[in-house]
Amino acid sequence: MFKLLEKIFGWCYPLFRKWGINDAVASYTSLFINILLLCFLAYGIYVIFRLVLVTLLAVVAKKTKTNFDDLLISNKTAKYISHLIPLLFIYKSVPIILNNFVYWEAVFGKLVGIYIVLLVLWIIRTILNSVRDHLKHIPKYSDKPIDSYIQVIMIFLWMIGISVIISEMFEINTNTLFATFGAVSAIIILIFRDTILGFVASVQVSLNDMVRIGDWITFDKFGADGDVIEINLATVKVRNFDNTTTTIPTYSMISDSFRNWRGMLNSDGRRIKRHILIKAKSIHFVEEPELRQLQKIHLIQNYIENRQKEINIFNESNSIDKSILVNGKNLTNFGLFRKYITQYLENYPSLNTEMILLCRQLQPTAQGIPLEVYAFTKDKRFENYEYIMSDIFDHIIATVPYFNLEIFELPSEGFDFVE
């Protein structure tokens, strides 16, 4: 190839000298002509190879089932490769054209060499981006932090590329250059501290499967509450439910605590854990007239009958003096209310009865006695979950007066202060 290039660009100068033209004039004239010829040939090679590569890749993309070649087209890989071929042609031609101009030969040779290195890195980047986009369409890899891996690979390639560029510019041996980098590694670590921490964090996040793209996470420290849309070397992007975007440093995913709701979404139900406060003074033993009234409530009708029979048998067999209610066994309005809520929850169609379902009394507080509902909804979607929970507590709050109980709330102006 070198001999062919000598024939292409070596005809001008001997011809001008043969015509008796001055040596300096012949040199500059032949240089000008050769530069024009080089530009023309390089552009022609670029057009031909771009047409061939783009057309060939388009034909292959139509005939194959995979979308990887389509992604190569969308990332313009063939276009950049078509830039590389004429550039290599220029790189080989520069020493011949500038044979009589040693200084400019060195300058342009280095510039073209640097451009080739950058172009090669850019081509590799387009291929890696195509690989990334292809893997994201595969369900097995769609939730993996592929961006982080691509960025790590590109960092190493850029380090190699920059080393090659520096050695090309200053004519330094590559081994000597890497030895120098080793000597200043402490400074490099200081400069790239965040990148190194991000790399370590992204590897740990991936290996431990701490977070995936599409996960719903809550990170109070950064005010994040939404779905993960991107994981890369430096940051994790979260689209919050108010459509804002929060950017979290990747390293914070392993150094701080956050909540990942994936387990809940993959489970058989979403938990309801909410309570109301019952005034302690409204809790009392149920006497016969009130018991007859409560027995009309369908969900606890059988329970009251059976439970009252057991209580009567116990009290009679132990000769309990029932002139005072505190003696023996008795039903309370609060206990019946808890039983009613339990029965109501078990009959509620949107709750998963195969998971924990209960109504429990918590530690009494200064505001009253908390009565908590602990259950799981079948539907885990946010809007449906909120509707189910609200519907349950609407019913519970409306039911409280039927058991002669009262809900605690702070007094407000108006009727709360009327005696």
Side-chain angles (χ1 to χ4, degrees):
M1 182 180 178
F2 191 77
K3 291 182 178 180
L4 178 62
L5 292 175
E6 282 185 337
K7 290 181 179 180
I8 294 174
F9 299 107
W11 61 273
C12 295
Y13 181 75
L15 181 63
F16 293 148
R17 292 295 294 153
K18 185 178 180 181
W19 289 348
I21 299 176
N22 181 272
D23 183 66
V25 175
S27 296
Y28 282 103
T29 305
S30 60
L31 174 64
F32 179 73
I33 294 174
N34 283 333
I35 289 174
L36 291 177
L37 181 60
L38 177 64
C39 294
F40 176 77
L41 291 174
Y43 181 75
I45 293 171
Y46 163 72
V47 171
I48 293 170
F49 274 92
R50 179 178 178 180
L51 180 64
V52 171
L53 289 174
V54 172
T55 305
L56 182 63
L57 192 59
V59 172
V60 172
K62 289 181 179 179
K63 293 185 177 181
T64 57
K65 294 181 180 180
T66 179
N67 70 334
F68 180 69
D69 36 27
D70 299 300
L71 294 171
L72 288 175
I73 294 174
S74 63
N75 284 303
K76 301 179 181 180
T77 304
K79 176 183 176 182
Y80 293 118
I81 293 176
S82 62
H83 278 90
L84 180 62
I85 296 170
L87 203 61
L88 292 172
F89 174 73
I90 294 173
Y91 184 75
K92 291 292 185 180
S93 302
V94 165
I96 298 172
I97 295 176
L98 299 175
N99 187 36
N100 296 326
F101 304 88
V102 180
Y103 174 77
W104 292 110
E105 177 188 346
V107 171
F108 282 105
K110 290 177 181 180
L111 290 175
V112 175
I114 291 170
Y115 189 29
I116 289 174
V117 172
L118 294 174
L119 191 57
V120 169
L121 289 172
W122 196 261
I123 291 170
I124 295 173
R125 182 175 180 272
T126 61
I127 295 172
L128 291 175
N129 286 342
S130 300
V131 173
R132 177 200 63 194
D133 296 338
H134 177 65
L135 292 177
K136 283 186 175 180
H137 286 88
I138 301 176
K140 183 179 178 181
Y141 302 102
S142 61
D143 55 357
K144 298 294 185 293
I146 299 172
D147 290 297
S148 298
Y149 302 139
I150 299 297
Q151 288 176 348
V152 170
I153 294 172
M154 284 306 303
I155 285 174
F156 283 115
L157 290 176
W158 274 108
M159 290 176 64
I160 294 171
I162 291 171
S163 301
V164 172
I165 290 172
I166 293 174
S167 61
E168 179 74 19
M169 287 178 62
F170 302 103
E171 298 180 356
I172 302 173
N173 185 275
T174 308
N175 295 330
T176 305
L177 185 63
F178 279 114
T180 306
F181 281 158
V184 295
S185 58
I187 299 175
I188 294 174
I189 291 173
L190 182 62
I191 294 173
F192 294 101
R193 174 182 175 274
D194 292 337
T195 303
I196 294 171
L197 290 176
F199 168 63
V200 173
S202 63
V203 171
Q204 288 184 312
V205 165
S206 176
L207 292 178
N208 298 325
D209 199 22
M210 297 172 65
V211 65
R212 304 174 187 169
I213 294 174
D215 282 357
W216 168 21
I217 68 169
T218 302
F219 209 141
D220 295 331
K221 179 179 178 180
F222 296 95
D225 185 17
D227 298 327
V228 176
I229 58 175
E230 183 180 331
I231 303 174
N232 55 45
L233 195 62
T235 59
V236 175
K237 289 185 179 179
V238 179
R239 180 184 290 116
N240 300 310
F241 294 128
D242 58 359
N243 289 326
T244 60
T245 301
T246 300
T247 302
I248 304 171
T250 307
Y251 184 69
S252 296
M253 307 301 290
I254 61 173
S255 63
D256 296 308
S257 177
F258 69 96
R259 179 178 293 181
N260 191 329
W261 296 86
R262 187 201 314 158
M264 179 274 293
L265 294 173
N266 293 337
S267 69
D268 295 327
R270 184 171 179 179
R271 187 182 69 174
I272 295 175
K273 187 175 182 293
R274 181 180 287 186
H275 68 267
I276 58 173
L277 292 169
I278 301 295
K279 287 185 179 180
K281 71 174 185 178
S282 67
I283 299 174
H284 58 265
F285 292 123
V286 179
E287 298 189 56
E288 189 65 28
E290 185 180 1
L291 189 62
R292 286 196 299 269
Q293 188 67 26
L294 292 174
Q295 203 167 354
K296 295 179 182 179
I297 300 174
H298 176 71
L299 288 178
I300 56 174
Q301 184 177 21
N302 294 332
Y303 172 77
I304 292 176
E305 290 178 359
N306 296 330
R307 184 61 178 155
Q308 190 60 37
K309 286 179 183 179
E310 293 176 3
I311 291 173
N312 291 336
I313 292 171
F314 175 84
N315 291 335
E316 290 174 3
S317 62
N318 291 278
S319 302
I320 303 297
D321 180 9
K322 294 304 297 177
S323 61
I324 300 177
L325 280 177
V326 73
N327 292 334
K329 289 185 176 181
N330 296 279
L331 291 173
T332 65
N333 60 340
F334 196 37
L336 291 175
F337 184 52
R338 283 190 290 108
K339 183 62 181 179
Y340 171 79
I341 295 175
T342 302
Q343 292 293 108
Y344 175 76
L345 295 176
E346 289 176 353
N347 286 276
Y348 198 87
S350 298
L351 296 181
N352 190 340
T353 55
E354 295 181 359
M355 302 182 74
I356 297 176
L357 189 151
L358 56 87
C359 175
R360 61 177 179 171
Q361 180 186 146
L362 301 180
Q363 176 71 28
T365 67
Q367 287 78 33
I369 301 175
L371 185 68
E372 183 182 77
V373 170
Y374 195 103
F376 291 83
T377 63
K378 296 177 182 177
D379 197 329
K380 293 164 284 186
R381 289 173 294 180
F382 178 73
E383 61 274 18
N384 294 347
Y385 164 79
E386 289 292 337
Y387 173 81
I388 293 168
M389 183 165 57
S390 299
D391 187 51
I392 290 172
F393 275 86
D394 285 348
H395 182 82
I396 291 173
I397 293 170
T399 308
V400 169
Y402 288 90
F403 290 83
N404 295 317
L405 294 167
E406 295 181 42
I407 296 176
F408 172 83
E409 60 180 348
L410 293 173
S412 59
E413 294 182 4
F415 293 106
D416 291 338
F417 292 97
V418 176
E419 294 185 358

